[in-house]
Amino acid sequence: MKLPPAAAIPARHFKPLRVANPVAYLQRKAAMSGATLPEVPSFATLALTTTPTVSTSFLGLAFPDSQCGPGCEPPDTQVAVGPNNVVEVTNIVARIFDKSGTLISTLNLNSLFDVDPSIFSSDPRIRYDTISNRWFISFLIFDNADINMAQNGSFYLAVSSSSDPTQPFYIYNFETLGAFPDQPSLGFNDDKVVTGGNSFSCSPTNCGDVTLPYLGMEFIVWSKADLVAGVGAPAMDFYPADEDPSDFGVQPATSRSSTSTLFMLSDDEYSTQNHVTVWSVTGVPGPDAGSSVATTVLPIATYSDAPLAPQKGNSTNPIDTGDARLENAIFRDGLLWGTGTAACTPLEDSVTRSCLQ
């Protein structure tokens, strides 16, 4: 299917469930009809012409450090860098280094988020925000130690009280009834923070059943000012899982330059694989109009899922490089960058490889 030009595709607008307290729904909705699609950032294609110089290297968390027992894989490794520190998170462990690689501390994420260590938890993400000078960590937690008995999932969010990751964090959570937000994403701009996830049904009592239906992307828009200030009940808008049941893996952008619009990016990695969708989140959760979301679709060159990658020294055990969903998004200086995995044949090669897109 050939997509028409982006300008010919009408924008879609979404209405959130307005939530003032992240622990309980207050069930009031904002009227947002007639919203105008914000300006969509430019897209750029860049050929890598130079190789960055490595100033130092050091070992991160290894499997014995995982603290989650045998079979705890994949490790879901995430790394962020602040003014003075490098912080790595895996399934349930965080480790803080200085920039020379000296180990400062190791902490269990269940302890950080103050949850029962027997409860199933996973999929952390960590970002350092250069605008607010704060660390943000998102986390997925179920309501049962046994994923096959879980009925609900929860978004958890930790926000540092300073630019020093060894200092206390403010902790927030939001329960998603009857569903769980798989692989929670995390992004922010000047005045908003978004945590989102690929929502799967837990009906009736089994979040671990891979045959249960995919419900769509769900996400929360948080007031960044409230989070940074450590407000006990920050203003937030919840956008339920039917926002877009076709795209998969909507990634909120980490904004590295000032913008009043928080952009998100997704692709249709299960179907036509020839477009991306730009989500524009405007407004701020609170007692007034709150946030609103609009989308526009942009055609790109058709892509396909990456093949298995050969593993050096073990030809019988190839590496699963995943599918073609987007993994990350960055906004900076008017450009929106998205990354994912796709198949390609490199120059001077005749074999289809797993490549960065």
Side-chain angles (χ1 to χ4, degrees):
M1 179 179 70
K2 184 177 180 181
L3 290 173
I9 302 176
R12 292 174 291 170
H13 300 278
F14 304 101
K15 295 181 179 181
L17 175 63
R18 307 299 312 288
V19 184
N21 186 324
V23 183
Y25 291 91
L26 295 187
Q27 294 183 341
R28 61 185 181 86
K29 293 187 177 181
M32 299 173 193
S33 59
T36 301
L37 178 66
E39 181 181 358
V40 174
S42 302
F43 280 77
T45 300
L46 178 68
L48 183 64
T49 58
T50 59
T51 301
T53 300
V54 177
S55 59
T56 187
S57 61
F58 51 90
L59 293 176
L61 287 161
F63 186 82
D65 307 314
S66 65
Q67 298 185 18
C68 56
C72 189
E73 55 183 42
D76 299 322
T77 304
Q78 296 278 307
V79 178
V81 180
N84 303 304
N85 300 101
V86 177
V87 183
E88 179 188 8
V89 295
T90 60
N91 285 309
I92 61 169
V93 178
R95 181 162 284 181
I96 302 172
F97 305 88
D98 66 19
K99 288 192 173 181
S100 68
T102 301
L103 174 61
I104 296 175
S105 65
T106 301
L107 59 151
N108 182 282
L109 291 178
N110 288 331
S111 298
L112 174 67
F113 285 92
D114 193 25
V115 297
D116 184 338
S118 69
I119 295 294
F120 184 89
S121 54
S122 188
D123 294 351
R125 291 218 177 196
I126 185 167
R127 300 285 187 268
Y128 182 78
D129 177 20
T130 55
I131 298 173
S132 66
N133 295 315
R134 295 291 188 271
W135 299 85
F136 293 87
I137 305 175
S138 62
F139 205 34
L140 168 63
I141 296 175
F142 292 99
D143 62 358
N144 197 295
D146 182 355
I147 188 174
N148 296 313
M149 296 300 295
Q151 298 180 1
N152 307 302
S154 289
F155 286 105
Y156 269 71
L157 180 64
V159 183
S160 67
S161 56
S162 73
S163 62
D164 183 351
T166 67
Q167 297 303 302
F169 279 72
Y170 306 121
I171 305 300
Y172 305 97
N173 70 82
F174 183 87
E175 188 174 42
T176 56
L177 303 177
F180 74 97
D182 192 32
Q183 298 184 338
S185 53
L186 173 63
F188 39 73
N189 71 327
D190 293 359
D191 52 19
K192 292 177 286 293
V193 174
V194 167
T195 51
N198 306 314
S199 182
F200 289 86
S201 172
C202 288
S203 178
T205 59
N206 187 353
C207 290
D209 185 351
V210 296
T211 66
L212 291 173
Y214 173 58
L215 303 177
M217 176 68 183
E218 64 183 7
F219 56 92
I220 302 170
V221 181
W222 308 77
S223 166
K224 186 177 179 181
D226 286 356
L227 296 177
V228 170
V231 173
M236 57 185 291
D237 294 335
F238 175 57
Y239 290 79
D242 59 352
E243 297 309 322
D244 193 328
S246 58
D247 277 16
F248 194 76
V250 182
Q251 297 296 333
T254 300
S255 299
R256 297 305 185 192
S257 57
S258 180
T259 171
S260 60
T261 300
L262 194 157
F263 295 104
M264 306 195 298
L265 194 61
S266 63
D267 64 359
D268 182 13
E269 74 99 359
Y270 283 125
S271 183
T272 56
Q273 298 186 313
N274 63 0
H275 68 269
V276 292
T277 301
V278 178
W279 304 59
S280 301
V281 185
T282 56
V284 183
D288 300 322
S291 66
S292 63
V293 178
T295 64
T296 190
V297 176
L298 300 175
I300 62 172
T302 301
Y303 58 92
S304 57
D305 288 358
L308 297 175
Q311 183 168 196
K312 185 176 181 179
N314 189 351
S315 60
T316 62
N317 187 23
I319 299 170
D320 184 351
T321 59
D323 48 35
R325 76 189 70 179
L326 290 172
E327 298 290 349
N328 198 15
I330 299 285
F331 175 83
R332 182 170 181 172
D333 299 331
L335 297 178
L336 182 60
W337 305 77
T339 60
T341 308
C344 80
T345 303
L347 295 175
E348 302 179 359
D349 196 350
S350 59
V351 178
T352 300
R353 308 287 187 181
S354 176
C355 303
L356 169 69
Q357 173 166 269

